[in-house]
């Protein structure tokens, strides 16, 4: 049912859809599909489950209205302009219009095609709309001026022009309408996908609607979480239109959307009989002179994600500085170079340090001093504990990522696009950003590691080719130190006994959610990394899951 919703703490509503269960974690996520996969699911639902196509369209329109009302209520008296194309996306728009009239909204439809050219189902819904609203509620504009004049009268715009089938650049009146939507600057809701966006890649095909809210139908589309789709989609909501669970599972999607349910299910229970040893001991190998903050943030974040004990290894002359920063974290001074970075002579002590911990986080603030680089390259090959590598631990492997295949256990790596480019042969930051999903999944397969490729809509990939996209996070997190926070959170969950995939997914989700909560309280522009640390407990709190 469309009204069976799970309310997420950061305000995203996901319906009670059929779930696909991950083999390793047994925690559920939502499959992300291509346009072709979604078409196949629709068709199979119609032909095998015997759900009429008009019923699917009614469900889609009703779901859009539910989310539109949740965002912009009250609707009574508001002017809503719906732009409809000739295909089934336009048909959804006619349903939206008819149902909005029942909410006492003032609805007017701009039909960007001749009624004779409408698809079969769209024509049926057009006729139903006319019976309830009359012909005066529909305009078939012949020029962009007419579109602009009508849009200027709207309080809310609904984009039902093009759906997931677009594969060539938008031209003609459709493009004029899309550009007019952008120019008028009204709150805009996209049905299924912002018109002009490629459903699979998120590329803009000539011009695309920049929606404030996208209500996607059936299952999330890959283009909403990649490329320009991230900016064009705005807030994404999902409507269950009744695709049978068995059909979804048969698709075999290798790309998932992280969910609040899955992230919370991965967390270890907090038993009444627990003590600090119950929740693991993380070793953090990080920091150098001038960069003790990176080590401090990683260590504190591990505690905030629920780790029982954290000890930070630090170059000896920086130890006192780190102790002054931290109250709850233990520290251990290590041999250092003249530049006050980790020295190669400390290898055996660091291996012993790692061996005494449940998991290890390596990298924040290490620097790329040649001796430290040599140390890291040897260290990552010989540590036999669950491990997360970030920042300068990854920079130490630049051009030598084959060393990752020598690790005793597959590590989790957490690169930003620049670090990912340095790990990959002949890659650039631009090429990584242009194919974030492909880059992460390819590297995870080739090197046998778990990859958290940070950025807008972080991608998590594992060695067998499964990947997930994180829906949490915001631009306020684009500030120094937030990566160190993620490293500590991943390491902390590893120390608590989570499998690498579960630790990577849960940490990434709650990292983004903590950022979303911080943004709600502080605004995005002034956020700093320590704000995320302060909001990790709020992200974890069961009271936020209502």
């Amino acid at each position: 049912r469309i009204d069976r919703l799970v309310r997420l703490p950061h305000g995203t509503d996901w319906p009670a859809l059929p779930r696909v269960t991950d083999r390793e974690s047994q925690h559920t996520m939502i499959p992300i599909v291509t346009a072709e996969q979604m078409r196949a699911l629709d068709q199979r639902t119609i032909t095998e489950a015997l759900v009429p196509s008009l019923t699917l369209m009614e469900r889609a329109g009703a779901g859009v209205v539910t989310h539109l009302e949740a965002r912009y209520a009250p609707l009574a008296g508001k002017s809503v302009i719906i732009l409809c194309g000739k295909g089934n996306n336009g048909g959804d728009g006619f349903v939206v219009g008819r149902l909005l009239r029942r909410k006492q909204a003032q609805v007017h439809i701009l039909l960007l095609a001749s009624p004779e050219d409408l698809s079969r189902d769209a024509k049926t819904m057009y006729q139903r709309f006319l019976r309830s609203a009359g012909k005066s509620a529909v305009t078939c504009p012949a020029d962009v001026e007419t579109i602009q004049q009508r849009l200027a009268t709207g309080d809310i715009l609904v984009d039902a022009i093009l759906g997931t089938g677009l594969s060539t650049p938008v031209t003609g009146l459709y493009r004029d309408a899309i550009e007019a939507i952008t120019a008028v600057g009204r709150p805009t809701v996209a049905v299924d996908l912002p018109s002009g966006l490629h459903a699979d890649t998120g590329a803009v095909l000539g011009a695309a609607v920049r929606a404030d809210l996208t209500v996607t139908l059936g299952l999330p589309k890959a283009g909403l979480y990649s490329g320009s789709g991230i900016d064009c989609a705005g807030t994404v909501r999902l409507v269950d239109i009744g695709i049978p669970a068995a059909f979804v599972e048969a698709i075999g999607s290798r790309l998932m959307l992280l969910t609040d349910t899955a992230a919370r299910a991965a967390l270890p229970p907090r038993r009444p009989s627990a003590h600090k040893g119950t929740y693991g001991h993380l070793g953090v190998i990080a920091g150098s002179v001038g960069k003790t903050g990176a080590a401090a943030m990683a260590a504190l974040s591990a505690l905030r994600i629920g780790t029982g004990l954290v000890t930070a290894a630090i170059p000896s002359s920086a130890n006192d500085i780190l102790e002054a920063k931290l109250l709850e974290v233990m520290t251990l001074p290590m041999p250092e170079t003249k530049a006050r970075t980790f020295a190669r002579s400390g290898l055996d002590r660091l291996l012993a340090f790692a061996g005494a911990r449940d998991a290890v986080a390596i990298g924040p603030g290490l620097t790329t001093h040649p001796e430290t680089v040599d140390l890291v390259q040897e260290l990552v090959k010989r540590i036999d504990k669950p491990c997360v590598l970030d920042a300068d631990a990854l920079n130490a492997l630049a051009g030598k990522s084959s060393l990752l295949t020598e690790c005793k256990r597959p590590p989790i790596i957490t690169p930003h696009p620049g670090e990912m480019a340095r790990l990959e042969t002949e890659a650039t930051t631009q090429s990584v950003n242009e194919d974030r999903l492909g880059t992460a999944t390819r590297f995870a397969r080739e090197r046998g590691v778990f990859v958290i490729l940070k950025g807008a809509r972080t991608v998590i990939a594992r060695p067998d080719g499964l990947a997930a996209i994180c829906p949490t996070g915001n631009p306020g997190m684009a500030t120094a130190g937030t990566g160190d926070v993620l490293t500590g959170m991943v390491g902390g969950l590893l120390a608590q006994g989570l499998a690498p995939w579960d630790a990577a997914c849960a940490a990434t989700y709650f990292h983004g959610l903590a950022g979303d909560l911080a943004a709600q309280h502080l605004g995005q522009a002034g956020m700093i990394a320590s704000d995320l640390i302060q909001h990790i407990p709020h992200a974890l709190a069961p009271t936020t899951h209502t």
Side-chain angles (χ1 to χ4, degrees), residues 273-334:
S273 61
H275 53 83
K276 62 186 178 184
T278 305
Y279 299 108
H281 191 167
L282 176 68
V284 177
I285 300 173
S288 59
V289 63
K291 295 185 179 180
T292 56
M297 286 188 287
L300 283 173
S301 300
L303 288 175
R304 287 295 192 185
I305 199 70
T307 312
L309 295 158
V310 178
T311 301
I314 189 83
S316 57
S317 67
N319 188 75
D320 290 350
I321 300 169
L322 193 62
E323 284 205 272
K325 291 178 183 287
L326 301 172
L327 297 178
E328 299 88 353
V329 176
M330 296 172 282
T331 66
L332 189 63
M334 287 287 170

Side-chain angles (χ1 to χ4, degrees), residues 32-54:
I32 296 175
V33 295
T34 64
E36 182 54 40
Q37 287 172 330
M38 194 65 235
R39 279 192 291 272
L41 285 170
D42 283 340
Q43 190 60 33
R44 193 175 177 194
T45 301
I46 294 165
T47 58
E48 296 182 39
L50 303 180
V51 179
S53 57
L54 290 175

Side-chain angles (χ1 to χ4, degrees), residues 400-440:
K400 296 186 177 181
S401 62
S402 61
L403 292 175
L404 291 168
T405 63
E406 300 180 37
C407 293
K408 294 182 180 296
R409 300 188 189 208
I412 299 172
I413 66 171
T414 63
H416 57 58
E419 291 161 347
M420 189 78 250
R422 289 190 282 275
L423 288 173
E424 280 230 303
T425 305
E426 297 181 354
T428 65
T429 301
Q430 181 179 352
S431 69
V432 170
N433 278 325
E434 287 174 350
D435 186 19
R436 288 168 48 77
L437 179 62
T439 298

Side-chain angles (χ1 to χ4, degrees), residues 342-360:
F342 281 93
R344 179 68 169 75
S345 61
L347 176 62
D348 290 340
R349 289 184 61 184
L350 285 170
L351 286 170
F353 169 79
R357 272 75 198 173
D358 296 299
V360 188

